Short mmCIF file of all heavy atoms in Angstrom, two decimals:
data_model
loop_
_atom_site.label_atom_id
_atom_site.label_comp_id
_atom_site.label_asym_id
_atom_site.label_seq_id
_atom_site.Cartn_x
_atom_site.Cartn_y
_atom_site.Cartn_z
N MET A 210 94.27 81.07 99.12
CA MET A 210 95.38 81.89 98.67
C MET A 210 95.10 82.30 97.22
O MET A 210 94.86 81.47 96.36
CB MET A 210 96.68 81.09 98.76
CG MET A 210 97.82 81.82 98.18
SD MET A 210 99.48 81.16 98.45
CE MET A 210 99.33 79.45 98.65
N ARG A 211 95.12 83.60 96.95
CA ARG A 211 94.88 84.10 95.61
C ARG A 211 95.97 85.10 95.23
O ARG A 211 96.40 85.89 96.05
CB ARG A 211 93.53 84.79 95.51
CG ARG A 211 92.39 83.84 95.66
CD ARG A 211 91.10 84.56 95.45
NE ARG A 211 90.03 83.62 95.65
CZ ARG A 211 89.17 83.28 94.71
NH1 ARG A 211 89.25 83.84 93.54
NH2 ARG A 211 88.22 82.42 94.95
N THR A 212 96.36 85.01 94.01
CA THR A 212 97.27 86.00 93.46
C THR A 212 96.65 86.51 92.17
O THR A 212 95.76 85.90 91.60
CB THR A 212 98.66 85.41 93.16
OG1 THR A 212 98.49 84.29 92.30
CG2 THR A 212 99.33 84.96 94.43
N ILE A 213 97.15 87.64 91.70
CA ILE A 213 96.61 88.27 90.49
C ILE A 213 97.75 88.41 89.49
O ILE A 213 98.87 88.75 89.85
CB ILE A 213 96.03 89.65 90.81
CG1 ILE A 213 94.88 89.52 91.82
CG2 ILE A 213 95.55 90.35 89.55
CD1 ILE A 213 94.38 90.84 92.33
N VAL A 214 97.44 88.14 88.23
CA VAL A 214 98.40 88.35 87.15
C VAL A 214 97.76 89.30 86.14
O VAL A 214 96.67 89.04 85.64
CB VAL A 214 98.79 87.03 86.46
CG1 VAL A 214 99.71 87.30 85.28
CG2 VAL A 214 99.45 86.09 87.45
N TYR A 215 98.43 90.41 85.88
CA TYR A 215 97.99 91.36 84.86
C TYR A 215 98.84 91.14 83.62
O TYR A 215 100.07 91.00 83.72
CB TYR A 215 98.20 92.81 85.34
CG TYR A 215 97.32 93.21 86.50
CD1 TYR A 215 97.81 93.26 87.78
CD2 TYR A 215 95.99 93.54 86.29
CE1 TYR A 215 97.01 93.62 88.85
CE2 TYR A 215 95.17 93.91 87.34
CZ TYR A 215 95.69 93.96 88.61
OH TYR A 215 94.90 94.32 89.67
N ILE A 216 98.20 91.09 82.47
CA ILE A 216 98.93 90.97 81.21
C ILE A 216 98.48 92.09 80.29
O ILE A 216 97.31 92.45 80.25
CB ILE A 216 98.75 89.59 80.54
CG1 ILE A 216 97.28 89.29 80.31
CG2 ILE A 216 99.39 88.50 81.38
CD1 ILE A 216 97.03 88.04 79.51
N ASP A 217 99.44 92.65 79.58
CA ASP A 217 99.13 93.74 78.66
C ASP A 217 100.28 93.84 77.67
O ASP A 217 101.30 93.17 77.81
CB ASP A 217 98.97 95.05 79.42
CG ASP A 217 98.20 96.10 78.64
OD1 ASP A 217 97.79 95.83 77.49
OD2 ASP A 217 97.99 97.20 79.18
N ALA A 218 100.10 94.68 76.68
CA ALA A 218 101.16 94.94 75.72
C ALA A 218 101.27 96.44 75.51
O ALA A 218 100.28 97.16 75.63
CB ALA A 218 100.87 94.25 74.38
N LEU A 219 102.47 96.89 75.26
CA LEU A 219 102.68 98.29 74.91
C LEU A 219 103.53 98.33 73.66
O LEU A 219 104.26 97.38 73.35
CB LEU A 219 103.34 99.05 76.07
CG LEU A 219 104.66 98.53 76.58
CD1 LEU A 219 105.71 99.58 76.38
CD2 LEU A 219 104.51 98.25 78.06
N TRP A 220 103.39 99.39 72.92
CA TRP A 220 104.10 99.51 71.65
C TRP A 220 105.31 100.42 71.81
O TRP A 220 105.21 101.51 72.37
CB TRP A 220 103.16 100.09 70.59
CG TRP A 220 102.12 99.10 70.20
CD1 TRP A 220 100.92 98.88 70.81
CD2 TRP A 220 102.21 98.18 69.13
NE1 TRP A 220 100.26 97.87 70.18
CE2 TRP A 220 101.01 97.42 69.14
CE3 TRP A 220 103.16 97.92 68.16
CZ2 TRP A 220 100.77 96.43 68.20
CZ3 TRP A 220 102.90 96.92 67.24
CH2 TRP A 220 101.73 96.19 67.27
N LEU A 221 106.45 99.94 71.34
CA LEU A 221 107.69 100.70 71.40
C LEU A 221 108.29 100.79 70.01
O LEU A 221 108.13 99.89 69.19
CB LEU A 221 108.71 100.02 72.33
CG LEU A 221 108.35 99.95 73.80
CD1 LEU A 221 109.45 99.21 74.56
CD2 LEU A 221 108.15 101.32 74.39
N LYS A 222 109.00 101.87 69.78
CA LYS A 222 109.76 101.99 68.53
C LYS A 222 111.09 101.28 68.72
O LYS A 222 111.81 101.55 69.67
CB LYS A 222 109.97 103.45 68.16
CG LYS A 222 108.68 104.15 67.80
CD LYS A 222 108.97 105.51 67.22
CE LYS A 222 107.68 106.22 66.86
NZ LYS A 222 106.93 105.60 65.81
N VAL A 223 111.40 100.34 67.82
CA VAL A 223 112.61 99.53 67.91
C VAL A 223 113.41 99.72 66.64
O VAL A 223 112.85 99.68 65.53
CB VAL A 223 112.25 98.04 68.10
CG1 VAL A 223 113.49 97.18 68.11
CG2 VAL A 223 111.45 97.86 69.38
N ARG A 224 114.70 99.94 66.80
CA ARG A 224 115.57 100.06 65.63
C ARG A 224 116.07 98.66 65.27
O ARG A 224 116.84 98.06 65.98
CB ARG A 224 116.74 100.97 65.92
CG ARG A 224 117.62 101.22 64.69
CD ARG A 224 118.79 102.10 65.04
NE ARG A 224 118.33 103.28 65.76
CZ ARG A 224 118.35 104.51 65.24
NH1 ARG A 224 118.82 104.72 64.05
NH2 ARG A 224 117.91 105.52 65.97
N ASP A 225 115.58 98.16 64.15
CA ASP A 225 115.95 96.83 63.65
C ASP A 225 116.25 96.99 62.17
O ASP A 225 115.49 96.55 61.32
CB ASP A 225 114.81 95.85 63.91
CG ASP A 225 115.21 94.41 63.63
OD1 ASP A 225 116.42 94.14 63.56
OD2 ASP A 225 114.31 93.57 63.48
N GLY A 226 117.36 97.66 61.86
CA GLY A 226 117.64 98.06 60.47
C GLY A 226 116.92 99.37 60.20
O GLY A 226 117.53 100.36 59.85
N ALA A 227 115.63 99.38 60.37
CA ALA A 227 114.81 100.59 60.29
C ALA A 227 114.04 100.69 61.60
O ALA A 227 113.96 99.73 62.37
CB ALA A 227 113.84 100.50 59.11
N VAL A 228 113.48 101.84 61.86
CA VAL A 228 112.70 102.02 63.08
C VAL A 228 111.28 101.51 62.82
O VAL A 228 110.61 101.96 61.90
CB VAL A 228 112.67 103.50 63.52
CG1 VAL A 228 111.79 103.69 64.74
CG2 VAL A 228 114.09 103.98 63.81
N VAL A 229 110.86 100.54 63.62
CA VAL A 229 109.53 99.95 63.47
C VAL A 229 108.85 99.90 64.84
O VAL A 229 109.52 99.87 65.87
CB VAL A 229 109.58 98.53 62.87
CG1 VAL A 229 110.08 98.56 61.44
CG2 VAL A 229 110.44 97.61 63.71
N ASN A 230 107.53 99.92 64.84
CA ASN A 230 106.76 99.74 66.07
C ASN A 230 106.60 98.26 66.32
O ASN A 230 106.18 97.51 65.44
CB ASN A 230 105.39 100.40 65.95
CG ASN A 230 105.47 101.89 65.94
OD1 ASN A 230 106.34 102.47 66.55
ND2 ASN A 230 104.57 102.53 65.23
N ARG A 231 106.93 97.83 67.55
CA ARG A 231 106.78 96.42 67.91
C ARG A 231 106.12 96.33 69.28
O ARG A 231 106.38 97.15 70.16
CB ARG A 231 108.14 95.73 67.95
CG ARG A 231 108.73 95.64 66.54
CD ARG A 231 110.01 94.93 66.48
NE ARG A 231 109.88 93.54 66.86
CZ ARG A 231 110.93 92.72 66.92
NH1 ARG A 231 112.14 93.15 66.63
NH2 ARG A 231 110.78 91.47 67.28
N PRO A 232 105.28 95.32 69.47
CA PRO A 232 104.65 95.16 70.79
C PRO A 232 105.61 94.51 71.78
O PRO A 232 106.38 93.63 71.43
CB PRO A 232 103.46 94.24 70.50
CG PRO A 232 103.89 93.45 69.31
CD PRO A 232 104.77 94.35 68.50
N VAL A 233 105.55 94.98 73.01
CA VAL A 233 106.27 94.36 74.12
C VAL A 233 105.19 93.84 75.06
O VAL A 233 104.38 94.61 75.59
CB VAL A 233 107.19 95.36 74.84
CG1 VAL A 233 107.84 94.71 76.04
CG2 VAL A 233 108.22 95.91 73.89
N TYR A 234 105.15 92.53 75.22
CA TYR A 234 104.15 91.88 76.08
C TYR A 234 104.68 91.88 77.50
O TYR A 234 105.84 91.58 77.74
CB TYR A 234 103.90 90.46 75.60
CG TYR A 234 103.36 90.40 74.19
CD1 TYR A 234 104.21 90.33 73.10
CD2 TYR A 234 102.00 90.42 73.96
CE1 TYR A 234 103.73 90.29 71.81
CE2 TYR A 234 101.49 90.38 72.67
CZ TYR A 234 102.36 90.30 71.60
OH TYR A 234 101.87 90.26 70.32
N LEU A 235 103.82 92.20 78.44
CA LEU A 235 104.22 92.38 79.83
C LEU A 235 103.30 91.57 80.74
O LEU A 235 102.09 91.57 80.55
CB LEU A 235 104.12 93.87 80.19
CG LEU A 235 104.30 94.28 81.63
CD1 LEU A 235 105.73 94.07 82.07
CD2 LEU A 235 103.90 95.73 81.82
N ALA A 236 103.89 90.86 81.69
CA ALA A 236 103.12 90.14 82.71
C ALA A 236 103.60 90.60 84.08
O ALA A 236 104.80 90.57 84.38
CB ALA A 236 103.30 88.64 82.57
N VAL A 237 102.66 91.06 84.91
CA VAL A 237 102.95 91.54 86.26
C VAL A 237 102.09 90.75 87.23
O VAL A 237 100.87 90.62 87.02
CB VAL A 237 102.65 93.05 86.40
CG1 VAL A 237 102.86 93.52 87.83
CG2 VAL A 237 103.51 93.86 85.45
N GLY A 238 102.70 90.21 88.26
CA GLY A 238 101.97 89.48 89.30
C GLY A 238 101.92 90.28 90.58
O GLY A 238 102.84 91.04 90.89
N VAL A 239 100.82 90.12 91.30
CA VAL A 239 100.66 90.76 92.61
C VAL A 239 100.50 89.64 93.64
O VAL A 239 99.61 88.80 93.52
CB VAL A 239 99.43 91.69 92.64
CG1 VAL A 239 99.29 92.36 94.00
CG2 VAL A 239 99.51 92.73 91.54
N ASP A 240 101.39 89.63 94.65
CA ASP A 240 101.33 88.57 95.65
C ASP A 240 100.35 88.92 96.77
O ASP A 240 99.68 89.96 96.72
CB ASP A 240 102.72 88.24 96.19
CG ASP A 240 103.38 89.39 96.92
OD1 ASP A 240 102.69 90.36 97.27
OD2 ASP A 240 104.60 89.32 97.15
N LEU A 241 100.25 88.07 97.76
CA LEU A 241 99.28 88.25 98.84
C LEU A 241 99.56 89.48 99.69
O LEU A 241 98.65 90.02 100.32
CB LEU A 241 99.25 87.01 99.72
CG LEU A 241 98.74 85.75 99.03
CD1 LEU A 241 98.88 84.55 99.96
CD2 LEU A 241 97.31 85.92 98.60
N ASP A 242 100.81 89.93 99.71
CA ASP A 242 101.17 91.13 100.48
C ASP A 242 100.93 92.41 99.69
O ASP A 242 101.15 93.50 100.20
CB ASP A 242 102.63 91.07 100.90
CG ASP A 242 102.90 89.91 101.85
OD1 ASP A 242 102.00 89.59 102.64
OD2 ASP A 242 103.99 89.33 101.78
N GLY A 243 100.52 92.28 98.42
CA GLY A 243 100.27 93.45 97.59
C GLY A 243 101.50 93.92 96.83
O GLY A 243 101.45 94.98 96.20
N CYS A 244 102.60 93.17 96.90
CA CYS A 244 103.82 93.55 96.18
C CYS A 244 103.70 93.11 94.72
O CYS A 244 103.26 92.01 94.43
CB CYS A 244 105.04 92.90 96.81
SG CYS A 244 105.37 93.48 98.46
N LYS A 245 104.12 93.99 93.82
CA LYS A 245 104.07 93.69 92.40
C LYS A 245 105.42 93.14 91.94
O LYS A 245 106.46 93.60 92.39
CB LYS A 245 103.74 94.95 91.60
CG LYS A 245 102.38 95.50 91.91
CD LYS A 245 102.12 96.79 91.16
CE LYS A 245 100.79 97.37 91.59
NZ LYS A 245 100.60 98.72 91.08
N HIS A 246 105.36 92.14 91.07
CA HIS A 246 106.57 91.51 90.53
C HIS A 246 106.42 91.40 89.02
O HIS A 246 105.40 90.91 88.54
CB HIS A 246 106.76 90.11 91.12
CG HIS A 246 106.80 90.08 92.61
ND1 HIS A 246 107.96 90.33 93.32
CD2 HIS A 246 105.83 89.88 93.53
CE1 HIS A 246 107.69 90.25 94.61
NE2 HIS A 246 106.41 89.99 94.77
N VAL A 247 107.44 91.85 88.30
CA VAL A 247 107.43 91.68 86.85
C VAL A 247 107.76 90.23 86.56
O VAL A 247 108.84 89.74 86.92
CB VAL A 247 108.44 92.63 86.16
CG1 VAL A 247 108.50 92.36 84.66
CG2 VAL A 247 108.06 94.08 86.42
N LEU A 248 106.84 89.53 85.92
CA LEU A 248 107.04 88.11 85.62
C LEU A 248 107.76 87.91 84.30
O LEU A 248 108.38 86.88 84.08
CB LEU A 248 105.69 87.39 85.59
CG LEU A 248 104.88 87.49 86.88
CD1 LEU A 248 103.53 86.84 86.69
CD2 LEU A 248 105.63 86.88 88.04
N GLY A 249 107.67 88.89 83.43
CA GLY A 249 108.39 88.77 82.17
C GLY A 249 108.02 89.85 81.17
O GLY A 249 106.97 90.48 81.27
N LEU A 250 108.94 90.05 80.24
CA LEU A 250 108.75 90.94 79.10
C LEU A 250 109.11 90.15 77.85
O LEU A 250 110.13 89.46 77.82
CB LEU A 250 109.66 92.17 79.18
CG LEU A 250 109.42 93.12 80.34
CD1 LEU A 250 110.60 94.07 80.49
CD2 LEU A 250 108.15 93.91 80.11
N TRP A 251 108.28 90.23 76.82
CA TRP A 251 108.53 89.51 75.57
C TRP A 251 108.36 90.49 74.43
O TRP A 251 107.37 91.21 74.35
CB TRP A 251 107.53 88.38 75.40
CG TRP A 251 107.61 87.32 76.45
CD1 TRP A 251 108.32 86.16 76.38
CD2 TRP A 251 106.98 87.32 77.74
NE1 TRP A 251 108.17 85.44 77.54
CE2 TRP A 251 107.36 86.14 78.39
CE3 TRP A 251 106.15 88.21 78.41
CZ2 TRP A 251 106.92 85.81 79.66
CZ3 TRP A 251 105.72 87.89 79.68
CH2 TRP A 251 106.10 86.71 80.29
N LEU A 252 109.34 90.52 73.54
CA LEU A 252 109.28 91.39 72.37
C LEU A 252 108.60 90.63 71.25
O LEU A 252 109.06 89.57 70.82
CB LEU A 252 110.69 91.80 71.96
CG LEU A 252 110.79 92.82 70.83
CD1 LEU A 252 110.12 94.13 71.23
CD2 LEU A 252 112.24 93.08 70.49
N GLY A 253 107.48 91.16 70.78
CA GLY A 253 106.71 90.51 69.73
C GLY A 253 107.19 90.90 68.35
O GLY A 253 108.09 91.73 68.18
N ASN A 254 106.57 90.32 67.35
CA ASN A 254 106.91 90.66 65.97
C ASN A 254 106.11 91.88 65.53
O ASN A 254 105.31 92.43 66.27
CB ASN A 254 106.65 89.45 65.06
CG ASN A 254 105.25 88.90 65.23
OD1 ASN A 254 104.37 89.60 65.67
ND2 ASN A 254 105.07 87.65 64.89
N THR A 255 106.31 92.32 64.31
CA THR A 255 105.71 93.57 63.85
C THR A 255 104.25 93.41 63.43
O THR A 255 103.60 94.39 63.13
CB THR A 255 106.51 94.15 62.66
OG1 THR A 255 106.55 93.17 61.63
CG2 THR A 255 107.90 94.52 63.08
N GLU A 256 103.71 92.19 63.38
CA GLU A 256 102.33 92.01 62.94
C GLU A 256 101.32 92.50 63.97
O GLU A 256 100.15 92.63 63.67
CB GLU A 256 102.04 90.53 62.64
CG GLU A 256 102.63 90.05 61.35
CD GLU A 256 104.04 89.55 61.53
OE1 GLU A 256 104.35 88.98 62.59
OE2 GLU A 256 104.84 89.75 60.61
N GLY A 257 101.73 92.74 65.19
CA GLY A 257 100.80 93.22 66.21
C GLY A 257 100.50 92.16 67.24
O GLY A 257 101.09 91.09 67.27
N GLN A 258 99.56 92.49 68.11
CA GLN A 258 99.19 91.58 69.18
C GLN A 258 98.36 90.45 68.60
O GLN A 258 97.30 90.68 68.05
CB GLN A 258 98.37 92.31 70.24
CG GLN A 258 99.10 93.39 70.97
CD GLN A 258 98.24 93.95 72.08
OE1 GLN A 258 97.70 93.22 72.89
NE2 GLN A 258 98.10 95.26 72.09
N GLY A 259 98.84 89.26 68.76
CA GLY A 259 98.11 88.12 68.25
C GLY A 259 97.81 87.12 69.35
O GLY A 259 98.56 86.97 70.31
N ALA A 260 96.70 86.41 69.20
CA ALA A 260 96.31 85.41 70.19
C ALA A 260 97.35 84.30 70.28
O ALA A 260 97.60 83.76 71.36
CB ALA A 260 94.95 84.83 69.82
N ARG A 261 97.97 83.97 69.16
CA ARG A 261 98.97 82.90 69.16
C ARG A 261 100.17 83.27 70.04
O ARG A 261 100.69 82.45 70.79
CB ARG A 261 99.42 82.62 67.73
CG ARG A 261 100.12 81.32 67.56
CD ARG A 261 100.28 81.03 66.10
NE ARG A 261 98.95 80.98 65.49
CZ ARG A 261 98.56 80.08 64.63
NH1 ARG A 261 99.39 79.18 64.22
NH2 ARG A 261 97.34 80.09 64.14
N PHE A 262 100.62 84.52 69.95
CA PHE A 262 101.75 84.94 70.77
C PHE A 262 101.37 84.98 72.24
O PHE A 262 102.14 84.60 73.11
CB PHE A 262 102.30 86.29 70.31
CG PHE A 262 103.65 86.58 70.88
CD1 PHE A 262 104.79 86.10 70.25
CD2 PHE A 262 103.81 87.31 72.04
CE1 PHE A 262 106.05 86.35 70.78
CE2 PHE A 262 105.06 87.56 72.57
CZ PHE A 262 106.18 87.08 71.94
N TRP A 263 100.13 85.46 72.53
CA TRP A 263 99.68 85.49 73.92
C TRP A 263 99.64 84.08 74.50
O TRP A 263 99.94 83.87 75.67
CB TRP A 263 98.30 86.13 74.04
CG TRP A 263 98.33 87.62 74.14
CD1 TRP A 263 97.82 88.51 73.26
CD2 TRP A 263 98.93 88.40 75.19
NE1 TRP A 263 98.06 89.80 73.69
CE2 TRP A 263 98.73 89.75 74.87
CE3 TRP A 263 99.61 88.08 76.36
CZ2 TRP A 263 99.18 90.79 75.68
CZ3 TRP A 263 100.07 89.11 77.17
CH2 TRP A 263 99.85 90.44 76.84
N MET A 264 99.26 83.11 73.67
CA MET A 264 99.23 81.72 74.15
C MET A 264 100.63 81.23 74.53
O MET A 264 100.79 80.51 75.51
CB MET A 264 98.61 80.80 73.11
CG MET A 264 97.11 80.96 72.98
SD MET A 264 96.22 80.67 74.52
CE MET A 264 96.55 78.95 74.77
N THR A 265 101.66 81.62 73.77
CA THR A 265 103.02 81.22 74.13
C THR A 265 103.47 81.88 75.43
O THR A 265 104.14 81.25 76.24
CB THR A 265 104.02 81.53 73.00
OG1 THR A 265 104.04 82.93 72.76
CG2 THR A 265 103.68 80.80 71.72
N VAL A 266 103.08 83.14 75.62
CA VAL A 266 103.42 83.84 76.86
C VAL A 266 102.76 83.15 78.05
O VAL A 266 103.41 82.85 79.06
CB VAL A 266 102.99 85.33 76.78
CG1 VAL A 266 103.05 85.99 78.14
CG2 VAL A 266 103.83 86.08 75.77
N LEU A 267 101.48 82.87 77.95
CA LEU A 267 100.75 82.25 79.06
C LEU A 267 101.22 80.82 79.30
O LEU A 267 101.30 80.37 80.45
CB LEU A 267 99.25 82.29 78.78
CG LEU A 267 98.65 83.69 78.79
CD1 LEU A 267 97.19 83.65 78.36
CD2 LEU A 267 98.80 84.37 80.13
N ALA A 268 101.56 80.09 78.24
CA ALA A 268 102.08 78.73 78.41
C ALA A 268 103.42 78.75 79.12
O ALA A 268 103.69 77.90 79.98
CB ALA A 268 102.21 78.05 77.05
N GLU A 269 104.26 79.73 78.80
CA GLU A 269 105.55 79.84 79.49
C GLU A 269 105.36 80.12 80.98
O GLU A 269 106.02 79.52 81.82
CB GLU A 269 106.40 80.94 78.85
CG GLU A 269 107.75 81.09 79.51
CD GLU A 269 108.59 82.19 78.90
OE1 GLU A 269 108.48 82.43 77.68
OE2 GLU A 269 109.34 82.83 79.66
N LEU A 270 104.44 81.01 81.30
CA LEU A 270 104.17 81.31 82.71
C LEU A 270 103.62 80.08 83.43
O LEU A 270 104.01 79.78 84.56
CB LEU A 270 103.18 82.47 82.83
CG LEU A 270 103.71 83.84 82.44
CD1 LEU A 270 102.58 84.86 82.44
CD2 LEU A 270 104.83 84.28 83.36
N ARG A 271 102.73 79.34 82.78
CA ARG A 271 102.17 78.13 83.39
C ARG A 271 103.25 77.08 83.62
O ARG A 271 103.29 76.43 84.66
CB ARG A 271 101.07 77.57 82.50
CG ARG A 271 100.41 76.32 83.08
CD ARG A 271 99.58 75.57 82.08
NE ARG A 271 100.48 75.08 81.03
CZ ARG A 271 100.14 74.99 79.76
NH1 ARG A 271 98.96 75.35 79.36
NH2 ARG A 271 101.02 74.53 78.87
N ASN A 272 104.15 76.93 82.64
CA ASN A 272 105.18 75.90 82.75
C ASN A 272 106.23 76.22 83.82
O ASN A 272 106.90 75.33 84.30
CB ASN A 272 105.87 75.70 81.41
CG ASN A 272 104.93 75.08 80.39
OD1 ASN A 272 103.97 74.41 80.76
ND2 ASN A 272 105.21 75.29 79.12
N ARG A 273 106.36 77.48 84.19
CA ARG A 273 107.28 77.84 85.28
C ARG A 273 106.80 77.27 86.59
O ARG A 273 107.58 76.93 87.47
CB ARG A 273 107.35 79.36 85.44
CG ARG A 273 108.12 80.06 84.39
CD ARG A 273 108.22 81.50 84.79
NE ARG A 273 108.56 82.37 83.68
CZ ARG A 273 108.61 83.68 83.77
NH1 ARG A 273 108.34 84.28 84.91
NH2 ARG A 273 108.92 84.39 82.72
N GLY A 274 105.48 77.23 86.77
CA GLY A 274 104.90 76.71 88.02
C GLY A 274 104.98 77.75 89.13
O GLY A 274 105.54 78.83 88.96
N PRO A 275 104.43 77.40 90.28
CA PRO A 275 104.46 78.34 91.42
C PRO A 275 105.87 78.47 91.96
O PRO A 275 106.65 77.52 91.94
CB PRO A 275 103.52 77.70 92.44
CG PRO A 275 103.48 76.26 92.08
CD PRO A 275 103.72 76.17 90.60
N ARG A 276 106.16 79.64 92.45
CA ARG A 276 107.49 79.88 93.02
C ARG A 276 107.40 80.15 94.49
O ARG A 276 106.58 80.66 95.03
CB ARG A 276 108.17 81.07 92.34
CG ARG A 276 108.49 80.73 90.91
CD ARG A 276 109.27 81.83 90.31
NE ARG A 276 109.57 81.44 88.92
CZ ARG A 276 110.46 82.02 88.20
NH1 ARG A 276 111.16 82.99 88.68
NH2 ARG A 276 110.67 81.66 86.99
#
């Protein structure tokens, strides 16, 4: 049994006092039937995509366990 998880980030303009660009981290899973499921969206800080933030995202997904 194999499943696929795609992870990526996209940049959105967010109004937080001022308008700033912030990364939104996205995780999408594909099950055995080929159906896609959004596993989560995380709004990052303004420093950009960092390995430390990706580690928190992946750790959260791992800690959820199989569903």
Side-chain angles (χ1 to χ4, degrees):
M210 174 170 28
R211 293 185 182 242
T212 56
I213 299 172
V214 176
Y215 293 102
I216 56 173
D217 200 359
L219 57 118
W220 289 86
L221 295 178
K222 293 189 181 295
V223 176
R224 185 182 310 250
D225 189 17
V228 176
V229 294
N230 289 328
R231 292 183 64 183
V233 176
Y234 299 89
L235 171 69
V237 176
V239 181
D240 63 15
L241 295 175
D242 296 326
C244 295
K245 296 176 185 170
H246 304 276
V247 175
L248 302 176
L250 296 166
W251 297 266
L252 186 62
N254 52 23
T255 57
E256 285 88 34
Q258 295 185 51
R261 197 169 301 224
F262 195 85
W263 275 117
M264 287 302 294
T265 61
V266 168
L267 293 174
E269 181 181 327
L270 289 173
R271 181 194 64 215
N272 292 336
R273 286 187 199 175
R276 292 186 179 195

